[in-house]
Structure formats: C-alpha cells, structure tokens
Amino acid sequence: LLLALALLAILFVPRFLAPRVSPLFPYPYKTVRADEALRRLENTIAFYESRAQLNPNDGLELASLAGAYVTKARVSGWSNWYLLADQAAKRSLANLPTFNNGALLVLGEIAEASHDFKEAIRLANKVLEYQAGNEGAISILITANIAQGNLDEAQRIVDELVKRLPTGGVLSLRALVEVAKGEDEAAQKDFEAAIGLEEPGDPYGSAWLRTQLGRLHARRGRNQEARLLFREA
C-alpha cells in the first residue's frame, strides 16, 4: 500500500505543483469545435454543388465551388480535393473566360501547391491584369518567387504592398521574405505585428501565423517559446 501511494505521489503530485504556463500569443476570438467547423465547410460545399447543378453554365457559382474545394484540401490534406477544385475552376473559366478572378486564383493556388511556380506566377499576373492590387494574386507572386529563390523580386513586390496595405496578411508575407533572406529579427517583428492585427473568422490563418513564428523560434533554439506557439496553433 505504501509503495502504491508513493508511486501515485511521484506520478501526480508534480502536475499539481508545476507552475501553470501561459500561452504565447493566445488567440483572442471565440473558436468552434473542429467537427463543427468541418460541418460548416461541408455545408458550404453542398450549397455550391447544388447551385452549380442548377446553373451549370454559370461561371461564378463554379468559381465559388472551386474555392470551397481548395479550402477543404488545405484543412484535410487530401490531394483529391485539389483535383476537384481544378476541374471546377476550369469549367468556371470555360463558362466565364474573362474577369473571372476567383477561378484564376484557385488555379494559381493549385499550381503553387503542385510546385509549378511559373504557372502560378503566370496566373497571378493574369488576375492583376483585371484587378491591380488583388491581394490573393500578389500573395501567390511573393510566395512563388520565394520558392524559386527570386528573393529580390519578392522583396520588391512586398515592399510596395506594405506601403499601400499594411495588413496582417501583408506583414506575414514580408516576414516570409525576411525568413528566406536570413533576417530573423525583422521576420519575428513582422510575424508578431501580423498576429496583433489578426481578425476573427480566419482560424486557419491565425494558426498558420503562430506555426511560422514557432518555427522561427525553434530554429534559433528557443524551444519553450516554440512549444507554446505550437500548442496555441
């Protein structure tokens, strides 16, 4: 009995005595359960699938469906959703070949996910022909140029964007460029500033930000900070 009590003390007492560690950059907005978020996304997909069946010649409905498929691909990690998104986006462009930024952005994101960076850049530039300053297209330009090692071009694009639109998303893009260039201190400041500007409704983006900042801390040997950020993500 004494041995059993001693074992219980060894196992459980340290948990009660250990100081509670506060999260690093806690997410300030209300979240939903993972299964509830997935249910909402599936409802969105079902809605646009039904709309596309009712209006098979409508380009915008198919572009929205393609965007929902891409979101499902991101959160699930299943590549078959990218295939469905690609098919829906191409059907959308066939129905609406001009001023169809939604379909072009989906195809650009798929090209980037497939490491076809030249095609991703081509599609992003095509969007910018229709809508100069489109943040989604500029984001693809920056990340695709980083992936190809064109850091000066990525820096030029993001610096121009920061002057016009210093949002959290834009600052996080500049941080990616700074990480690629080895400018860790500047990248940390931009990631932290981006977290400070985050808005509700994008938990995926908020988790991504904390993950990127955590990776930066881990790379510099700051394991406790990295662990706290990963837990919060």
Side-chain angles (χ1 to χ4, degrees), residues 3-233:
L3 286 173
L5 290 173
L7 180 60
L8 288 172
I10 292 171
L11 291 175
F12 294 104
V13 169
R15 297 186 184 183
F16 294 104
L17 297 180
R20 184 179 295 274
V21 180
S22 299
L24 194 60
F25 294 104
Y27 184 66
Y29 305 109
K30 184 179 179 180
T31 58
V32 298
R33 288 166 51 94
D35 56 350
E36 173 63 17
L38 183 60
R39 185 187 66 80
R40 293 181 184 180
L41 176 56
E42 289 173 347
N43 286 343
T44 299
I45 291 173
F47 171 78
Y48 283 119
E49 283 178 339
S50 64
R51 295 284 295 179
Q53 288 175 357
L54 290 172
N55 304 288
N57 297 320
D58 188 293
L60 296 180
E61 299 285 7
L62 284 165
S64 297
L65 177 59
Y69 284 151
V70 163
T71 301
K72 179 73 172 182
R74 287 199 215 104
V75 300
S76 69
W78 297 339
S79 59
N80 61 306
W81 290 104
Y82 279 120
L83 177 60
L84 291 173
D86 181 80
Q87 292 170 349
K90 287 176 178 175
R91 285 168 55 204
S92 173
L93 281 175
N95 292 342
L96 184 65
T98 58
F99 300 103
N100 193 346
N101 289 343
L104 289 173
L105 285 172
V106 166
L107 291 174
E109 187 167 343
I110 294 170
E112 188 171 29
S114 304
H115 293 183
D116 189 353
F117 302 116
K118 289 184 178 179
E119 176 65 4
I121 289 172
R122 185 190 72 81
L123 290 164
N125 281 323
K126 196 167 183 178
V127 171
L128 294 172
E129 290 176 9
Y130 297 141
Q131 184 184 3
N134 182 289
E135 189 173 342
I138 293 174
S139 173
I140 291 174
L141 278 184
I142 293 168
T143 52
N145 273 292
I146 291 173
Q148 289 186 308
N150 302 327
L151 302 185
D152 291 339
E153 178 64 8
Q155 186 76 64
R156 182 191 66 78
I157 296 169
V158 78
D159 285 346
E160 291 179 1
L161 189 58
V162 168
K163 291 176 184 177
R164 292 188 286 107
L165 196 69
T167 64
V170 172
L171 290 175
S172 67
L173 289 173
R174 186 169 71 177
L176 289 180
V177 178
E178 290 161 345
V179 168
K181 296 176 72 174
E183 299 171 0
D184 289 354
E185 292 293 340
Q188 180 179 336
K189 290 179 181 178
D190 274 340
F191 277 135
E192 291 176 354
I195 292 173
L197 293 172
E198 68 185 345
E199 298 180 357
D202 185 22
Y204 177 91
S206 295
W208 178 87
L209 268 174
R210 286 163 177 78
T211 301
Q212 295 301 315
L213 182 56
R215 290 176 63 185
L216 187 61
H217 280 300
R219 195 172 75 183
R220 307 188 73 189
R222 299 170 181 168
N223 295 330
Q224 178 64 6
E225 290 88 343
R227 188 176 295 109
L228 292 173
L229 283 161
F230 293 147
R231 285 177 180 169
E232 190 64 16

